């Protein structure tokens, strides 16, 4: 199959860049050059070389010519390959009809490549293929790369031959055989190379088909080499199944016993046993992995096991077995009591062999043994079937079963009560025994030391330390059996009553009692307090208000969850408390409002601690006479907690004492915020909130404005002015806001070019316009005579000369002016119109 790469890559790698395994490219070039062909070097790829055949041949003859050289007419697999071939033909001026290896001579319309390559690409010219004349079975390539179908034998032309450097083969599929099997391996005929081919296998055999019989899994590699030394390899693996390991074991090869035969045969991982066939040698057959057979007569037999597998493999094995005479089992023993050792003694007999193993089953579903003499005890009374299986040195076995009786034992029991450590323990035997037997002895161990403490049916015992004690009672019966019972008695600890109390002040919310009673195990479930005068509580840690100052005895009795009791008495002292008080210098104002508070509390022993609340919570001051500043409006509660030297406290809270009034909000807008002195009127819009009165300061020395809510102000000079607005609400609280106004200076001087002093009141006087610091204004007539002079910016020419109306016409004016420290000299004409 073509594996096309670009000519650019070829030119980089050189003429040997794509030589395949063993290919003799020079031999290829020599063969085709000697045959009169020209190599299309620019189109060579890793798997293909191309030659132009200039001989004029029919399509069939052209293919035959290529085959004679071990090649085929070219098969084109991509647009890149098609373009390269057409470009190479054009660049060499190879024109006319040129055959490529695409034909449908076998089946009309079903085109295929002579070299067997897949049809991945076509480039038929418009209207092609058309099979004109019903015999166009071969294909030519146009100079532009398009294809056309033509009669194979009706036309003669040049051709493009492709030499494949990458032959392809396929070999038999991997297979699995049984051990010792023979099979044939084959390789397909080579494609995409140059015939003839040689086939050489890795085991030295040659040809497309070889016969092998491997003993182990083997991979066979075939190397196929074409006429130009190009070769390709492929391999096939023959998996050889492991030989069947046929084996079996048997037991109980004794007379009158059923023998078990178990196959231990195995095969490799890639196969599995599917059949097991037995021949026991006495005319009986069976199948299966585990089979059983009883021989009727002692003697020697040949047993055969045959095995077959899923893969069809077979094998077999024969073994000789001997059937022997079994021993005779028997044993001796005596009856006994529960939990008492009984001796079981083997006295089995044999014919000519020796007993080598013993298997005891004592009949209680748990007891087993493996010696000729066994000592065993039973937990409960009853009759038990004891089984002994003996086996001799030949592997033969026999079984004996006998009954052993276990007499009834007494059932120990005793009564007692758990109690507190200070209580006596009363122990009473209530054991049972079935008549005619009876209880005949008692043995008590009450302190876990393994020594008998009492031997009577009832016991009174005093424990000195709380805890749990195992009491063991052993009773004996008239039938000689004994039994023991262990029960645990508990001596609960007594609680330890105790409590504490903090400083107790009269009228201070009562005394707080902290119950500190403890018990080493368990819990305290009941607390009984006696405060005197018939007053008490069952709370764990109660509060109690004593009626007066003084010392009072308090009793606490506690009871544990096991009913154990303890009590304690302590004296509680009730102390006097101080009297809290304070005054302030004011109770209302505007924020920020600072108020001084003065402590007026008193106590006979002296006050040592002050805790003030002014706004949020206590702890806002610990001074005796603090000052506090309120930053926000609102109504505030003021509280004072005082503590005397004995820790007694008093609290005074004055709710709603302080009122801090809300402040107004000063706010205004300026329009415009920037202008010049020619347009120096500024509007102010008051947007204040809660304003009952206001004061404007325009920062130009014009004084305060109290009357206008939204004033309008005219500035007389340039500059930056900070406007201040102070507003007052009904509580005389204030707020202030500021904004900046910019008044810009103007340097322009303007004199009209005409005026009309005709008495109509419009444009009657000629003025010099502008913000001028100093001026000299002069007017001349057409003869140069001065008709008006003024040094005052407010003076202008009214069109009169010496009290008479000046004539209409053009007059000349001169201006010398100072503006913002600069001197200006200007000249111009003005027309006087009546």
């Amino acid at each position: 199959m073509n594996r096309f790469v670009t000519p650019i890559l070829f030119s980089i790698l050189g003429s040997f860049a794509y030589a395949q395994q063993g290919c003799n490219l020079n031999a290829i070039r020599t063969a085709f050059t000697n045959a009169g062909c020209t190599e299309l070097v620019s189109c060579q790829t890793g798997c293909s070389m191309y030659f132009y055949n200039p001989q004029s041949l029919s399509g069939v003859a052209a293919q035959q010519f290529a085959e004679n050289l071990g090649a085929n007419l070219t098969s084109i697999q991509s647009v890149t390959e098609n373009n390269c071939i057409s470009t190479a033909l054009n660049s060499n001026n190879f024109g006319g009809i040129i055959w490529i290896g695409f034909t449908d001579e076998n089946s009309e319309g079903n085109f295929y490549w002579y070299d067997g390559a897949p049809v991945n690409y076509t480039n038929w010219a418009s209207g092609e293929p058309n099979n004109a004349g019903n015999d166009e079975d071969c294909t030519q390539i146009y100079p532009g790369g398009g294809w056309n179908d033509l009669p194979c034998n009706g036309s003669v032309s040049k051709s493009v031959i492709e030499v494949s450097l990458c032959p392809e083969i396929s070999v038999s599929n991997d297979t699995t055989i049984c051990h010792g099997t023979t099979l044939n391996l084959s390789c397909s005929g080579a494609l995409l190379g140059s015939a003839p081919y040689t086939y050489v296998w890795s085991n030295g055999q040659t040809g497309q088909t070889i016969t092998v019989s491997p003993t182990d899994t083997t991979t066979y590699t075939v190397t196929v080499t074409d006429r130009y030394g190009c070769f390709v390899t492929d391999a096939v693996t023959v998996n050889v199944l492991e030989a069947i390991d046929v084996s079996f074991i048997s037991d109980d090869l004794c007379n009158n016993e059923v023998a078990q035969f178990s196959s231990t045969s195995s095969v490799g991982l890639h196969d599995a046993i599917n059949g097991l066939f037995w021949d026991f040698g006495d005319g009986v057959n069976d199948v299966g992995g585990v089979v059983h057979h009883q021989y009727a007569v002692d003697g020697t037999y040949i047993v055969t096991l045959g095995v077959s597998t899923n893969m069809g493999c077979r094998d077999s094995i024969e073994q000789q077995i001997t059937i022997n005479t079994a021993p005779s089992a028997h044993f001796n023993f005596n009856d006994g009591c529960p939990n008492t050792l009984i001796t079981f003694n083997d006295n089995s007999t044999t014919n000519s062999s020796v007993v080598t193993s013993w298997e005891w089953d004592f009949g209680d579903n748990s007891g087993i043994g493996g010696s000729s003499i066994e000592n065993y005890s039973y937990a409960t009374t009853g009759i038990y079937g004891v089984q002994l299986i003996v086996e001799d040195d030949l592997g033969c076995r026999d079984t004996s079963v006998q009954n052993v009786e276990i007499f009834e034992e007494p059932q120990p029991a005793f009564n007692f009560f758990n109690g507190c450590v200070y209580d006596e323990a009363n122990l009473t035997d209530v054991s049972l025994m079935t008549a005619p037997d009876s209880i005949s002895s008692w043995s008590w161990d009450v302190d876990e030391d393994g020594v008998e403490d009492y031997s009577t049916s009832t016991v009174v015992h005093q424990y000195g330390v709380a805890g749990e004690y195992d009491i063991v009672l052993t009773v004996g019966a008239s039938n000689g059996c004994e039994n023991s019972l262990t029960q645990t008695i508990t001596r609960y600890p007594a609680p330890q009553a105790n409590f504490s109390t903090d400083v107790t002040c009269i009228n201070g919310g009562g005394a707080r009692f902290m119950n500190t009673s403890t018990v080493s195990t368990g819990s305290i479930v009941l607390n009984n307090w006696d405060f005197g005068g018939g007053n008490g509580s069952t709370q764990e840690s109660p509060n109690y208000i004593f009626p007066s100052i003084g010392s009072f005895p308090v009793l606490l009795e506690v009871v544990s969850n096991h009913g154990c009791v303890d009590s304690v008495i302590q004296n509680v002292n009730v102390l006097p408390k101080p009297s809290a008080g304070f005054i302030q210098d004011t109770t209302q104002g505007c924020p920020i409002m600072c108020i001084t508070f003065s402590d007026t509390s008193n106590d006979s022993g002296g006050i040592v601690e002050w805790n003030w609340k002014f706004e949020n919570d206590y702890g806002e001051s610990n001074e005796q006479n603090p000052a506090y500043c309120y930053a926000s409006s609102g109504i505030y509660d003021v509280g004072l907690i005082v503590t005397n030297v004995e820790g007694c406290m008093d609290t005074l809270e004055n709710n709603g004492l302080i009122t801090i009034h809300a402040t107004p909000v000063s706010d205004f807008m300026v329009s415009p915020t920037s202008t010049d002195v020619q347009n120096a009127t500024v509007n102010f819009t008051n947007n204040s909130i809660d304003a009952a009165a206001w004061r404007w300061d325009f920062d130009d020395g014009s004084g305060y404005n109290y009357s206008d809510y939204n004033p309008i102000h005219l500035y007389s000079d340039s500059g930056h002015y900070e406007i201040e607005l102070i507003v007052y609400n009904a509580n005389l609280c204030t707020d202030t806001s500021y904004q900046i106004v910019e008044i810009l200076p103007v340097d322009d001087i303007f004199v009209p070019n005409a005026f009309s002093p005709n008495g109509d009141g419009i444009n009657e006087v000629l003025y010099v316009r502008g913000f001028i610091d100093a001026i000299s204004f002069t007017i001349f007539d057409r003869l140069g005579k001065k008709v008006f002079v003024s040094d005052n910016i407010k003076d202008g020419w009214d069109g009169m000369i010496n009290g008479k109306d000046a004539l209409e016409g053009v007059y000349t004016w001169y201006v010398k002016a100072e503006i913002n420290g600069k001197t200006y000299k200007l000249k111009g004409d003005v027309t006087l119109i009546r």
Side-chain angles (χ1 to χ4, degrees):
M1 183 182 296
N2 305 59
R3 294 175 176 86
F4 192 83
V5 295
T6 64
I8 296 176
L9 182 57
F10 174 80
S11 64
I12 294 173
L13 296 177
S15 60
F16 296 101
Y18 305 111
Q20 297 302 298
Q21 298 184 90
C23 288
N24 188 340
L25 302 186
N26 288 331
I28 297 172
R29 292 188 176 97
T30 299
F32 278 84
T33 301
N34 292 340
C37 297
T38 300
E39 182 179 359
L40 302 181
V41 178
S42 62
C43 292
Q44 181 178 337
T45 71
C47 283
S48 297
M49 295 177 67
Y50 300 87
F51 293 89
Y52 170 73
N53 181 8
Q55 302 179 59
S56 295
L57 301 171
S58 68
V60 174
Q63 171 62 19
Q64 186 60 53
F65 178 87
E67 290 179 1
N68 292 338
L69 291 171
N72 291 278
L73 295 183
T74 183
S75 62
I76 301 175
Q77 300 298 308
S78 67
V79 64
T80 303
E81 184 179 9
N82 194 71
N83 291 341
C84 185
I85 292 173
S86 62
T87 299
L89 295 173
N90 291 333
S91 64
N92 287 284
N93 295 316
F94 296 154
I97 298 174
I98 299 176
W99 296 119
I100 60 176
F102 207 38
T103 179
D104 64 346
E105 61 185 357
N106 292 337
S107 175
E108 179 59 40
N110 295 317
F111 282 86
Y112 62 92
W113 296 104
Y114 281 123
D115 65 359
V119 180
N120 294 324
Y121 168 80
T122 60
N123 191 37
W124 294 108
S126 177
E128 302 296 339
N130 55 17
N131 196 31
N134 296 320
D135 63 349
E136 294 188 338
D137 295 331
C138 290
T139 304
Q140 74 165 122
I141 184 170
Y142 288 151
W147 302 354
N148 174 40
D149 58 338
L150 289 175
C152 291
N153 295 318
S155 303
V156 291
S157 71
K158 286 58 171 185
S159 58
V160 176
I161 299 172
E162 179 177 351
V163 182
S164 177
L165 308 179
C166 299
E168 294 182 0
I169 60 171
S170 63
V171 297
S172 302
N173 292 330
D174 293 348
T175 186
T176 301
I177 63 174
C178 296
H179 190 272
T181 302
T182 300
L183 79 160
N184 293 328
L185 301 178
S186 62
C187 173
S188 67
L191 297 175
L192 302 179
S194 299
Y197 302 95
T198 60
Y199 300 81
V200 179
W201 295 80
S202 55
N203 65 350
Q205 297 187 56
T206 60
Q208 287 185 248
T209 300
I210 63 174
T211 299
V212 296
S213 182
T215 58
D216 295 301
T217 296
T218 304
T219 298
Y220 297 90
T221 302
V222 60
T223 301
V224 178
T225 306
D226 71 3
R227 71 161 62 184
Y228 296 117
C230 299
F231 68 87
V232 64
T233 63
D234 202 352
V236 56
T237 297
V238 179
N239 298 295
V240 181
L241 297 173
E242 296 179 18
I244 303 173
D245 180 10
V246 184
S247 62
F248 68 89
I249 58 176
S250 62
D251 59 4
D252 293 332
L253 301 179
C254 302
N255 63 319
N256 299 323
E257 290 186 351
V258 176
Q260 175 173 293
F261 297 86
S262 301
S263 170
T264 56
S265 305
S266 63
V267 294
L269 296 176
H270 303 290
D271 201 356
I273 294 173
N274 64 6
L276 296 162
F277 311 95
W278 299 87
D279 182 346
F280 297 113
D282 61 352
V284 179
N285 299 317
D286 203 349
V287 294
V290 178
V291 296
H292 299 84
H293 181 63
Q294 182 175 352
Y295 288 90
V297 180
D298 300 351
T300 300
Y301 299 88
I302 301 298
V303 178
T304 303
L305 170 61
V307 179
S308 65
T309 72
N310 287 341
M311 299 298 294
C313 302
R314 293 176 176 273
D315 202 353
S316 63
I317 190 174
E318 292 182 349
Q319 288 184 197
Q320 178 177 295
I321 64 171
T322 300
I323 306 301
N324 300 300
T325 302
S328 176
H330 189 71
F331 60 94
N332 298 324
F333 63 93
N334 293 315
D335 296 331
C337 298
N339 303 308
T340 302
L341 290 176
I342 300 174
T343 299
F344 296 89
N345 192 358
D346 170 55
N347 63 353
S348 302
T349 60
T350 62
N351 185 12
S352 59
S353 58
V354 178
V355 174
T356 57
S357 69
W358 299 262
E359 297 178 15
W360 296 90
D361 183 344
F362 297 108
D364 59 355
N365 297 320
S366 62
I368 58 175
S371 301
S372 61
I373 300 175
E374 290 286 341
N375 294 310
Y376 188 74
S377 64
Y378 291 87
T380 58
T381 62
I383 297 176
Y384 298 90
V386 179
Q387 174 181 277
L388 171 62
I389 300 174
V390 294
E391 182 175 332
D392 61 19
D393 56 350
L394 299 176
C396 293
R397 300 159 65 88
D398 192 29
T399 302
S400 175
V401 177
Q402 299 185 62
N403 291 331
V404 60
E405 182 176 2
I406 306 301
F407 301 125
E408 180 184 358
E409 63 183 352
Q411 301 299 313
F414 59 92
N415 294 333
F416 65 93
F417 294 98
N418 294 326
C420 300
V421 66
Y422 46 72
D423 294 330
E424 289 184 338
N426 295 298
L427 310 175
T428 303
D429 172 61
V430 290
S431 301
L432 300 176
M433 187 66 207
T434 304
D437 297 321
S438 62
I439 304 296
S440 59
S441 65
W442 299 265
S443 177
W444 300 83
D445 176 8
V446 299
D447 53 7
E448 301 179 339
D449 61 358
V451 177
E452 180 181 71
D453 297 308
Y454 303 97
S455 60
T456 57
S457 61
T458 60
V459 172
V460 176
H461 184 74
Q462 179 71 56
Y463 290 94
V465 179
E468 293 184 343
Y469 298 89
D470 289 339
I471 300 174
V472 180
L473 170 61
T474 301
V475 293
S478 57
N479 63 8
C481 294
E482 288 186 345
N483 199 2
S484 297
L485 172 66
T486 300
Q487 296 191 80
T488 301
I489 188 171
T490 301
R491 298 289 94 181
Y492 300 111
Q496 301 296 314
N498 199 7
F499 67 90
S500 64
T501 184
D502 55 8
V503 176
T504 303
C505 303
I506 191 69
N507 299 327
R512 293 179 294 175
F513 292 91
M514 282 68 74
N515 191 334
T516 58
S517 303
T518 60
V519 63
S520 59
T521 59
S523 61
I524 295 174
V525 297
L526 184 61
N527 302 275
N528 291 317
W529 297 85
D530 186 353
F531 302 116
N535 298 309
S537 175
T538 58
Q539 296 180 8
E540 180 179 358
S541 296
N543 285 359
Y544 178 71
I545 300 175
F546 288 93
S548 61
I549 299 171
S551 181
F552 300 88
V554 175
L555 168 68
L556 169 61
E557 182 182 69
V558 295
V559 182
S560 74
N561 60 321
H562 298 295
C564 301
V565 181
D566 191 32
S567 63
V568 65
I569 296 176
Q570 296 186 44
N571 288 326
V572 176
N573 295 320
V574 181
L575 305 174
K577 72 167 186 173
S579 177
F582 63 87
I583 59 175
Q584 62 285 328
D585 58 359
T586 185
T587 59
Q588 61 178 331
C590 301
I592 298 174
M593 183 70 184
C594 295
I595 301 176
T596 300
F597 296 88
S598 300
D599 171 50
T600 60
S601 307
N602 62 79
D603 182 79
S604 59
I607 295 174
V608 296
E609 185 176 312
W610 296 264
N611 188 349
W612 294 87
K613 179 183 76 171
F614 302 115
E615 188 170 353
N616 297 310
D617 205 348
Y618 286 97
E620 293 173 327
S621 177
N622 298 114
E623 297 179 10
Q624 182 178 5
N625 300 303
Y628 188 79
C629 297
Y630 292 88
S632 302
S633 61
I635 298 175
Y636 299 94
D637 302 333
V638 179
L640 171 62
I641 301 173
V642 293
T643 305
N644 65 14
V645 293
E646 294 176 324
C648 294
M649 296 184 293
D650 189 32
T651 301
L652 173 63
E653 287 199 1
N654 196 334
N655 295 329
L657 176 64
I658 303 300
T659 300
I660 305 300
H661 302 299
T663 59
V665 177
S666 175
D667 184 36
F668 65 95
M669 294 177 58
V670 178
S671 179
T673 58
S674 177
T675 185
D676 57 42
V677 294
Q678 291 182 342
N679 302 282
T681 298
V682 179
N683 297 296
F684 298 90
T685 302
N686 193 335
N687 295 324
S688 301
I689 299 173
D690 191 26
W694 48 87
R695 189 190 80 180
W696 296 90
D697 183 351
F698 301 112
D699 195 27
D700 62 351
S702 61
Y704 299 126
N705 183 329
Y706 294 94
S707 58
D708 294 327
Y709 187 74
N710 297 309
I712 299 174
H713 187 72
L714 175 64
Y715 286 91
S716 60
D717 198 1
S718 62
H720 287 77
Y721 300 93
E722 184 179 62
I723 316 304
E724 177 188 71
L725 172 61
I726 302 175
V727 295
Y728 307 79
N729 64 11
N731 293 311
L732 298 182
C733 297
T734 67
D735 188 34
T736 305
S737 60
Y738 300 88
Q739 292 202 49
I740 301 297
V741 171
E742 180 183 49
I743 306 298
L744 302 174
V746 177
D747 293 345
D748 292 342
I749 299 175
F750 173 70
V751 178
N753 58 10
F755 73 110
S756 56
N758 55 11
D760 61 359
I762 300 174
N763 203 17
E764 295 285 337
V765 180
L766 178 66
Y767 290 102
V768 177
R769 304 297 186 186
F771 287 86
I772 301 172
D773 298 326
I775 190 172
S776 174
F777 185 26
T778 306
I779 299 177
F780 298 90
D781 62 14
R782 285 178 294 179
L783 299 178
K785 181 180 178 180
K786 186 183 298 183
V787 298
F788 176 77
V789 176
S790 175
D791 293 329
N792 190 340
I793 187 62
K794 296 182 179 179
D795 293 340
W797 183 37
D798 59 1
M800 303 292 289
I801 300 176
N802 297 324
K804 296 182 180 180
D805 291 336
L807 298 176
E808 289 186 333
V810 177
Y811 295 82
T812 301
W813 54 264
Y814 293 90
V815 173
K816 180 179 180 182
E818 290 186 5
I819 302 174
N820 297 324
K822 294 182 180 180
T823 300
Y824 296 87
K825 295 179 180 181
L826 302 174
K827 174 184 177 182
D829 295 328
V830 62
T831 300
L832 188 153
I833 302 172
R834 292 293 181 184

